[in-house]
Amino acid sequence: MGTPLILIAEDDPEVRQALERILSFEGYQHVSANDGAAALEAIKEHEPSMIILDVMMPFVDGLEVCRTIRSRGDRTPVLMLTAREEIPDRVAGLDAGADDYVAKPFALDELLARIRALLRRAEPEGTDDVIEALDLRIDFGRRQATRGGRILDLTKMEFELLDLLVRNAGIVLERSTMYERVWGYDFGDDSKSLDVHISYLRRKLEEADEPRIIQTVRGVGYVLRDR
């Protein structure tokens, strides 16, 4: 696999140039776009390994860019940049199809950790094994998860979370463990990333009125079990 190519879609020239310097220093290739329309063109032309996408951009905003590429079946990892830290704003990005988000101003270590985690999850599994728990089935050859035979439309982040829970069915996983295994970095007790992603994963698992199987263990983390 060659050096990942990352698309930076950011209209603020200072932030864009800072990201370009960071990615170059870390050895990544990159291309840039300063608005949403240019980002959509760049995605078609360059087929990047990953997209760093600002929410607030002229012409076409980041949420619409994300919705557009997902409607095409494009599953390229998307890291959303937002100046807002409120949960509804973060949820809007995930709802549009983003895999993860970082609030501005961002910490360099956190940004790079999230980039590495998204690129790692995008790599082919190289395995055709299938794992099952309760009425869930994860097929790595197809990169597909089902519940009771119903195909689940999951983002890469949701797929990784479900994989971790299924492989550890019945075992209570601490929040720090889940952050380390899925994000590759523990963002601490104040981070809401895990809770937001679990909320969306639950919604998809329960679309057909199935009973809840991801249980919250207060003060600890989460566990996959029927009660």
Side-chain angles (χ1 to χ4, degrees):
M1 184 176 179
T3 304
L5 173 66
I6 299 177
L7 170 63
I8 304 165
E10 167 64 66
D11 67 316
D12 184 322
E14 291 187 6
V15 176
R16 187 171 65 249
Q17 290 163 16
L19 288 169
E20 290 170 349
R21 289 193 296 270
I22 291 166
L23 294 180
S24 293
F25 184 80
E26 292 295 318
Y28 297 114
Q29 300 181 69
H30 60 79
V31 293
S32 297
N34 58 10
D35 62 63
L40 288 170
E41 288 300 318
I43 292 166
K44 283 184 182 179
E45 180 179 355
H46 298 286
E47 298 183 354
S49 307
M50 178 183 164
I51 303 164
I52 298 177
L53 188 60
D54 185 34
V55 172
M56 301 300 292
M57 290 190 294
F59 304 116
V60 182
D61 67 27
L63 296 177
E64 188 57 33
V65 170
C66 198
R67 281 190 288 264
T68 297
I69 66 170
R70 293 301 188 235
S71 71
R72 298 172 181 166
D74 186 336
R75 305 309 300 172
T76 302
V78 172
L79 177 64
M80 195 78 80
L81 297 180
T82 174
R84 303 170 180 172
E85 296 195 29
E86 288 80 4
I87 292 296
D89 295 307
R90 297 177 178 186
V91 168
L94 298 174
D95 199 28
D99 297 283
D100 202 0
Y101 57 84
V102 172
K104 298 185 210 176
F106 48 79
L108 178 58
D109 287 346
E110 178 182 356
L111 177 71
L112 291 173
R114 290 175 186 257
I115 288 172
R116 288 192 297 268
L118 285 176
L119 289 172
R120 185 169 60 248
R121 284 194 294 276
E123 293 177 357
E125 289 291 329
T127 178
D128 58 357
D129 70 322
V130 174
I131 58 173
E132 297 181 347
L134 303 177
D135 56 350
L136 294 171
R137 186 175 190 271
I138 298 180
D139 184 331
F140 288 96
R142 296 181 179 182
R143 191 73 180 176
Q144 183 181 89
T146 59
R147 182 172 190 188
R150 176 173 63 83
I151 296 175
L152 304 171
D153 182 18
L154 304 179
T155 66
K156 289 181 174 65
M157 186 79 68
E158 291 163 352
F159 188 93
E160 293 296 327
L161 275 172
L162 188 61
D163 170 32
L164 178 63
L165 288 162
V166 169
R167 288 183 186 275
N168 295 276
I171 299 172
V172 177
L173 296 171
E174 295 184 2
R175 295 173 61 87
S176 60
T177 298
M178 298 181 76
Y179 273 124
E180 290 286 355
R181 295 282 296 277
V182 176
W183 277 264
Y185 189 88
D186 183 2
F187 298 111
D189 295 336
D190 293 335
S191 176
K192 300 297 182 183
S193 294
L194 178 59
D195 305 300
V196 171
H197 282 85
I198 288 290
S199 175
Y200 267 75
L201 181 54
R202 279 173 168 164
R203 184 179 300 182
K204 293 178 180 181
L205 287 170
E206 299 165 15
E207 273 183 2
D209 295 325
E210 296 99 334
R212 175 154 297 179
I213 53 176
I214 298 179
Q215 312 297 342
T216 301
V217 181
R218 291 190 178 279
V220 182
Y222 296 95
V223 60
L224 184 77
R225 63 187 180 207
D226 50 9
R227 290 297 294 174

mmCIF file of all heavy atoms in Angstrom, residues 21-50:
data_model
loop_
_atom_site.group_PDB
_atom_site.id
_atom_site.type_symbol
_atom_site.label_atom_id
_atom_site.label_comp_id
_atom_site.label_asym_id
_atom_site.label_seq_id
_atom_site.Cartn_x
_atom_site.Cartn_y
_atom_site.Cartn_z
ATOM 1 N N ARG A 21 1.203 21.577 6.383
ATOM 2 C CA ARG A 21 2.532 21.418 6.986
ATOM 3 C C ARG A 21 2.585 20.190 7.897
ATOM 4 O O ARG A 21 3.557 19.421 7.868
ATOM 5 C CB ARG A 21 2.898 22.664 7.797
ATOM 6 C CG ARG A 21 3.211 23.895 6.943
ATOM 7 C CD ARG A 21 3.879 24.984 7.775
ATOM 8 N NE ARG A 21 3.004 25.479 8.822
ATOM 9 C CZ ARG A 21 2.162 26.496 8.674
ATOM 10 N NH1 ARG A 21 2.055 27.112 7.502
ATOM 11 N NH2 ARG A 21 1.414 26.907 9.689
ATOM 12 N N ILE A 22 1.531 20.015 8.683
ATOM 13 C CA ILE A 22 1.485 18.868 9.595
ATOM 14 C C ILE A 22 1.539 17.553 8.821
ATOM 15 O O ILE A 22 2.313 16.649 9.146
ATOM 16 C CB ILE A 22 0.205 18.917 10.455
ATOM 17 C CG1 ILE A 22 0.281 20.080 11.453
ATOM 18 C CG2 ILE A 22 -0.015 17.601 11.195
ATOM 19 C CD1 ILE A 22 -1.055 20.409 12.094
ATOM 20 N N LEU A 23 0.715 17.447 7.785
ATOM 21 C CA LEU A 23 0.652 16.196 7.020
ATOM 22 C C LEU A 23 1.955 15.934 6.275
ATOM 23 O O LEU A 23 2.431 14.790 6.211
ATOM 24 C CB LEU A 23 -0.523 16.243 6.039
ATOM 25 C CG LEU A 23 -1.914 16.278 6.682
ATOM 26 C CD1 LEU A 23 -2.994 16.318 5.606
ATOM 27 C CD2 LEU A 23 -2.135 15.083 7.599
ATOM 28 N N SER A 24 2.554 16.986 5.716
ATOM 29 C CA SER A 24 3.840 16.826 5.023
ATOM 30 C C SER A 24 4.909 16.343 5.996
ATOM 31 O O SER A 24 5.697 15.434 5.684
ATOM 32 C CB SER A 24 4.275 18.144 4.379
ATOM 33 O OG SER A 24 3.402 18.511 3.333
ATOM 34 N N PHE A 25 4.947 16.933 7.182
ATOM 35 C CA PHE A 25 5.934 16.553 8.191
ATOM 36 C C PHE A 25 5.762 15.091 8.598
ATOM 37 O O PHE A 25 6.745 14.391 8.871
ATOM 38 C CB PHE A 25 5.801 17.460 9.413
ATOM 39 C CG PHE A 25 6.842 17.201 10.467
ATOM 40 C CD1 PHE A 25 8.124 17.710 10.332
ATOM 41 C CD2 PHE A 25 6.543 16.451 11.598
ATOM 42 C CE1 PHE A 25 9.101 17.467 11.293
ATOM 43 C CE2 PHE A 25 7.506 16.197 12.560
ATOM 44 C CZ PHE A 25 8.797 16.707 12.414
ATOM 45 N N GLU A 26 4.504 14.619 8.638
ATOM 46 C CA GLU A 26 4.229 13.235 9.040
ATOM 47 C C GLU A 26 4.383 12.247 7.886
ATOM 48 O O GLU A 26 4.196 11.040 8.064
ATOM 49 C CB GLU A 26 2.818 13.131 9.609
ATOM 50 C CG GLU A 26 2.642 13.860 10.932
ATOM 51 C CD GLU A 26 3.467 13.272 12.053
ATOM 52 O OE1 GLU A 26 3.536 12.026 12.148
ATOM 53 O OE2 GLU A 26 4.044 14.049 12.840
ATOM 54 N N GLY A 27 4.717 12.755 6.698
ATOM 55 C CA GLY A 27 4.982 11.870 5.562
ATOM 56 C C GLY A 27 3.783 11.528 4.705
ATOM 57 O O GLY A 27 3.872 10.642 3.848
ATOM 58 N N TYR A 28 2.653 12.221 4.903
ATOM 59 C CA TYR A 28 1.470 11.974 4.081
ATOM 60 C C TYR A 28 1.499 12.849 2.825
ATOM 61 O O TYR A 28 2.009 13.973 2.839
ATOM 62 C CB TYR A 28 0.189 12.304 4.861
ATOM 63 C CG TYR A 28 -0.039 11.455 6.079
ATOM 64 C CD1 TYR A 28 0.003 12.016 7.357
ATOM 65 C CD2 TYR A 28 -0.317 10.096 5.972
ATOM 66 C CE1 TYR A 28 -0.217 11.251 8.494
ATOM 67 C CE2 TYR A 28 -0.536 9.325 7.093
ATOM 68 C CZ TYR A 28 -0.486 9.898 8.358
ATOM 69 O OH TYR A 28 -0.690 9.131 9.474
ATOM 70 N N GLN A 29 0.928 12.335 1.747
ATOM 71 C CA GLN A 29 0.649 13.169 0.593
ATOM 72 C C GLN A 29 -0.658 13.926 0.862
ATOM 73 O O GLN A 29 -1.503 13.449 1.618
ATOM 74 C CB GLN A 29 0.471 12.316 -0.664
ATOM 75 C CG GLN A 29 1.679 11.483 -1.047
ATOM 76 C CD GLN A 29 1.418 10.696 -2.311
ATOM 77 O OE1 GLN A 29 1.304 11.244 -3.400
ATOM 78 N NE2 GLN A 29 1.307 9.384 -2.161
ATOM 79 N N HIS A 30 -0.823 15.088 0.222
ATOM 80 C CA HIS A 30 -2.068 15.815 0.434
ATOM 81 C C HIS A 30 -2.407 16.682 -0.772
ATOM 82 O O HIS A 30 -1.529 17.082 -1.543
ATOM 83 C CB HIS A 30 -1.991 16.689 1.686
ATOM 84 C CG HIS A 30 -0.893 17.720 1.646
ATOM 85 N ND1 HIS A 30 -1.003 18.904 0.942
ATOM 86 C CD2 HIS A 30 0.336 17.733 2.214
ATOM 87 C CE1 HIS A 30 0.103 19.608 1.078
ATOM 88 N NE2 HIS A 30 0.937 18.913 1.844
ATOM 89 N N VAL A 31 -3.701 16.927 -0.930
ATOM 90 C CA VAL A 31 -4.224 17.909 -1.871
ATOM 91 C C VAL A 31 -5.217 18.756 -1.079
ATOM 92 O O VAL A 31 -5.730 18.315 -0.048
ATOM 93 C CB VAL A 31 -4.914 17.268 -3.099
ATOM 94 C CG1 VAL A 31 -3.915 16.545 -3.966
ATOM 95 C CG2 VAL A 31 -6.024 16.320 -2.659
ATOM 96 N N SER A 32 -5.471 19.976 -1.565
ATOM 97 C CA SER A 32 -6.319 20.881 -0.801
ATOM 98 C C SER A 32 -7.436 21.467 -1.648
ATOM 99 O O SER A 32 -7.323 21.575 -2.874
ATOM 100 C CB SER A 32 -5.481 22.022 -0.209
ATOM 101 O OG SER A 32 -4.520 21.523 0.692
ATOM 102 N N ALA A 33 -8.524 21.835 -0.972
ATOM 103 C CA ALA A 33 -9.649 22.525 -1.597
ATOM 104 C C ALA A 33 -10.115 23.591 -0.623
ATOM 105 O O ALA A 33 -10.120 23.361 0.592
ATOM 106 C CB ALA A 33 -10.779 21.548 -1.907
ATOM 107 N N ASN A 34 -10.506 24.761 -1.140
ATOM 108 C CA ASN A 34 -10.893 25.857 -0.242
ATOM 109 C C ASN A 34 -12.394 26.085 -0.165
ATOM 110 O O ASN A 34 -12.847 27.053 0.436
ATOM 111 C CB ASN A 34 -10.175 27.149 -0.627
ATOM 112 C CG ASN A 34 -10.462 27.567 -2.051
ATOM 113 O OD1 ASN A 34 -11.337 27.005 -2.701
ATOM 114 N ND2 ASN A 34 -9.721 28.549 -2.538
ATOM 115 N N ASP A 35 -13.184 25.207 -0.784
ATOM 116 C CA ASP A 35 -14.633 25.266 -0.626
ATOM 117 C C ASP A 35 -15.218 23.891 -0.926
ATOM 118 O O ASP A 35 -14.530 23.006 -1.436
ATOM 119 C CB ASP A 35 -15.262 26.353 -1.506
ATOM 120 C CG ASP A 35 -15.057 26.114 -2.992
ATOM 121 O OD1 ASP A 35 -15.555 25.095 -3.521
ATOM 122 O OD2 ASP A 35 -14.406 26.960 -3.638
ATOM 123 N N GLY A 36 -16.503 23.727 -0.624
ATOM 124 C CA GLY A 36 -17.128 22.415 -0.782
ATOM 125 C C GLY A 36 -17.223 21.949 -2.214
ATOM 126 O O GLY A 36 -17.049 20.757 -2.510
ATOM 127 N N ALA A 37 -17.499 22.870 -3.143
ATOM 128 C CA ALA A 37 -17.595 22.490 -4.557
ATOM 129 C C ALA A 37 -16.253 21.983 -5.063
ATOM 130 O O ALA A 37 -16.175 20.965 -5.777
ATOM 131 C CB ALA A 37 -18.073 23.680 -5.379
ATOM 132 N N ALA A 38 -15.177 22.687 -4.698
ATOM 133 C CA ALA A 38 -13.838 22.256 -5.101
ATOM 134 C C ALA A 38 -13.486 20.911 -4.464
ATOM 135 O O ALA A 38 -12.799 20.088 -5.073
ATOM 136 C CB ALA A 38 -12.814 23.315 -4.708
ATOM 137 N N ALA A 39 -13.968 20.693 -3.245
ATOM 138 C CA ALA A 39 -13.706 19.418 -2.570
ATOM 139 C C ALA A 39 -14.331 18.250 -3.326
ATOM 140 O O ALA A 39 -13.708 17.199 -3.511
ATOM 141 C CB ALA A 39 -14.236 19.470 -1.140
ATOM 142 N N LEU A 40 -15.567 18.435 -3.781
ATOM 143 C CA LEU A 40 -16.237 17.370 -4.528
ATOM 144 C C LEU A 40 -15.488 17.059 -5.820
ATOM 145 O O LEU A 40 -15.364 15.887 -6.203
ATOM 146 C CB LEU A 40 -17.690 17.770 -4.819
ATOM 147 C CG LEU A 40 -18.626 17.757 -3.611
ATOM 148 C CD1 LEU A 40 -19.967 18.395 -3.967
ATOM 149 C CD2 LEU A 40 -18.836 16.335 -3.091
ATOM 150 N N GLU A 41 -14.998 18.079 -6.496
ATOM 151 C CA GLU A 41 -14.221 17.864 -7.714
ATOM 152 C C GLU A 41 -12.916 17.141 -7.401
ATOM 153 O O GLU A 41 -12.502 16.234 -8.125
ATOM 154 C CB GLU A 41 -13.932 19.206 -8.399
ATOM 155 C CG GLU A 41 -15.139 19.837 -9.058
ATOM 156 C CD GLU A 41 -15.740 18.950 -10.147
ATOM 157 O OE1 GLU A 41 -14.957 18.360 -10.923
ATOM 158 O OE2 GLU A 41 -16.972 18.839 -10.206
ATOM 159 N N ALA A 42 -12.256 17.542 -6.310
ATOM 160 C CA ALA A 42 -10.982 16.925 -5.939
ATOM 161 C C ALA A 42 -11.156 15.459 -5.555
ATOM 162 O O ALA A 42 -10.293 14.623 -5.826
ATOM 163 C CB ALA A 42 -10.354 17.701 -4.780
ATOM 164 N N ILE A 43 -12.281 15.136 -4.923
ATOM 165 C CA ILE A 43 -12.551 13.747 -4.551
ATOM 166 C C ILE A 43 -12.676 12.883 -5.805
ATOM 167 O O ILE A 43 -12.137 11.774 -5.878
ATOM 168 C CB ILE A 43 -13.827 13.660 -3.691
ATOM 169 C CG1 ILE A 43 -13.588 14.313 -2.328
ATOM 170 C CG2 ILE A 43 -14.268 12.203 -3.503
ATOM 171 C CD1 ILE A 43 -14.848 14.590 -1.534
ATOM 172 N N LYS A 44 -13.376 13.389 -6.812
ATOM 173 C CA LYS A 44 -13.512 12.658 -8.073
ATOM 174 C C LYS A 44 -12.164 12.478 -8.759
ATOM 175 O O LYS A 44 -11.832 11.412 -9.281
ATOM 176 C CB LYS A 44 -14.464 13.399 -9.014
ATOM 177 C CG LYS A 44 -15.930 13.256 -8.698
ATOM 178 C CD LYS A 44 -16.747 13.964 -9.763
ATOM 179 C CE LYS A 44 -18.238 13.898 -9.479
ATOM 180 N NZ LYS A 44 -19.016 14.605 -10.519
ATOM 181 N N GLU A 45 -11.393 13.567 -8.782
ATOM 182 C CA GLU A 45 -10.135 13.555 -9.529
ATOM 183 C C GLU A 45 -9.042 12.737 -8.861
ATOM 184 O O GLU A 45 -8.314 11.984 -9.514
ATOM 185 C CB GLU A 45 -9.644 14.988 -9.722
ATOM 186 C CG GLU A 45 -8.327 15.092 -10.485
ATOM 187 C CD GLU A 45 -7.858 16.514 -10.682
ATOM 188 O OE1 GLU A 45 -8.620 17.452 -10.308
ATOM 189 O OE2 GLU A 45 -6.732 16.704 -11.195
ATOM 190 N N HIS A 46 -8.896 12.880 -7.547
ATOM 191 C CA HIS A 46 -7.745 12.295 -6.852
ATOM 192 C C HIS A 46 -8.049 10.997 -6.108
ATOM 193 O O HIS A 46 -7.113 10.281 -5.744
ATOM 194 C CB HIS A 46 -7.171 13.315 -5.871
ATOM 195 C CG HIS A 46 -6.662 14.559 -6.524
ATOM 196 N ND1 HIS A 46 -5.481 14.603 -7.235
ATOM 197 C CD2 HIS A 46 -7.192 15.813 -6.594
ATOM 198 C CE1 HIS A 46 -5.280 15.830 -7.693
ATOM 199 N NE2 HIS A 46 -6.303 16.581 -7.321
ATOM 200 N N GLU A 47 -9.322 10.701 -5.824
ATOM 201 C CA GLU A 47 -9.699 9.504 -5.065
ATOM 202 C C GLU A 47 -8.823 9.356 -3.815
ATOM 203 O O GLU A 47 -8.061 8.408 -3.680
ATOM 204 C CB GLU A 47 -9.610 8.260 -5.940
ATOM 205 C CG GLU A 47 -10.566 8.293 -7.127
ATOM 206 C CD GLU A 47 -10.513 7.018 -7.956
ATOM 207 O OE1 GLU A 47 -9.643 6.158 -7.673
ATOM 208 O OE2 GLU A 47 -11.341 6.873 -8.858
ATOM 209 N N PRO A 48 -8.923 10.307 -2.886
ATOM 210 C CA PRO A 48 -8.038 10.300 -1.712
ATOM 211 C C PRO A 48 -8.272 9.108 -0.799
ATOM 212 O O PRO A 48 -9.331 8.469 -0.825
ATOM 213 C CB PRO A 48 -8.407 11.610 -1.003
ATOM 214 C CG PRO A 48 -9.817 11.885 -1.422
ATOM 215 C CD PRO A 48 -9.907 11.410 -2.837
ATOM 216 N N SER A 49 -7.264 8.821 0.020
ATOM 217 C CA SER A 49 -7.368 7.750 1.015
ATOM 218 C C SER A 49 -8.230 8.179 2.185
ATOM 219 O O SER A 49 -8.801 7.343 2.895
ATOM 220 C CB SER A 49 -5.975 7.386 1.533
ATOM 221 O OG SER A 49 -5.095 7.093 0.486
ATOM 222 N N MET A 50 -8.314 9.501 2.396
ATOM 223 C CA MET A 50 -9.039 10.050 3.534
ATOM 224 C C MET A 50 -9.342 11.507 3.247
ATOM 225 O O MET A 50 -8.646 12.155 2.454
ATOM 226 C CB MET A 50 -8.192 9.923 4.806
ATOM 227 C CG MET A 50 -8.821 10.515 6.051
ATOM 228 S SD MET A 50 -7.706 10.383 7.460
ATOM 229 C CE MET A 50 -8.495 11.560 8.544
#
